[in-house]
Amino acid sequence: MEKLQVYPDVPEKMFEKYSQQKKIAVDTELHGLNIFRDQVCLVQLCDENGQVCLVRPAKNKSPHLRKLLETPLILKVFHYALTDVTLFRTSLGWNVNPFCCTKVMSKLIRTYTNSHGLKDLHQELLRVELEKEQQQTNWAKMDLSQKQLKYAANDVLHLLKIFNKLTQMMVSRENLPGGKNIVTLNELAQGMLPGFVELISHGYGDQ
């Protein structure tokens, strides 16, 4: 991976490339998990060509990033969407749409395990060992190291591959005894997530 840098917004050329995609992977690094106190410190994006962009977002200084997250033409793929999408709403006032969650997909199709973390999915589906050493980091720091940035980038680098693998598993799974298939149930579950985000962002329930 080339030397990584953090931008205040998605650069023009990257924005044009991302804008042509049907889906992009998105992840965040947060100052904490309190939705009424903490901020989105870093946003990681990646397309199916493996082009990663790291952005330190600001409400009025990241228009390209906001447009990508809010455009209805591009599916935003998260691993744990409820936290990330809610923090975009509460800390920046952005409404991510449409989006989906690979953790929800994993729980629906990988019922043979209770391990649905991103590291678990990398290991099983891609045979990739995901480094989590930098997980406990003060992401609000302005001088993040290359090791920290690489950690952040790796969280999205293979996420679309994982999404595609989980989708294939769902498509190939036979119908459940009740007649429903996993693809239909996943669409139902993903469709519920915006409602949960709305509830959480107004103080009801938690992530």
Side-chain angles (χ1 to χ4, degrees), residues 143-160:
D143 57 340
L144 296 170
S145 69
Q146 281 297 302
K147 193 171 185 179
Q148 291 167 318
L149 296 181
K150 183 178 179 181
Y151 161 85
N154 281 338
D155 277 355
V156 288
L157 184 59
H158 303 294
L159 188 55
L160 292 182

Side-chain angles (χ1 to χ4, degrees), residues 79 110 116-132 153-162:
H79 177 60
R110 296 173 66 250
H116 301 286
L118 193 56
K119 184 173 183 177
D120 303 306
L121 293 175
H122 275 77
Q123 287 177 333
E124 179 185 331
L125 302 182
L126 304 178
R127 299 292 187 263
V128 170
E129 188 69 30
L130 195 62
E131 177 58 59
K132 284 295 184 183
N154 281 338
D155 277 355
V156 288
L157 184 59
H158 303 294
L159 188 55
L160 292 182
K161 292 179 183 178
I162 287 173

Side-chain angles (χ1 to χ4, degrees), residues 1 3 36 38 62 69 76 90 97 107 114 121 131 152 171 174-175 192 198-199 201:
M1 188 179 293
K3 185 176 181 179
F36 300 110
D38 295 317
S62 306
L69 294 175
K76 276 65 70 172
T90 56
N97 176 63
K107 287 186 173 183
N114 289 321
L121 293 175
E131 177 58 59
V171 170
E174 294 182 356
N175 285 358
M192 294 178 179
E198 193 72 26
L199 289 170
S201 65

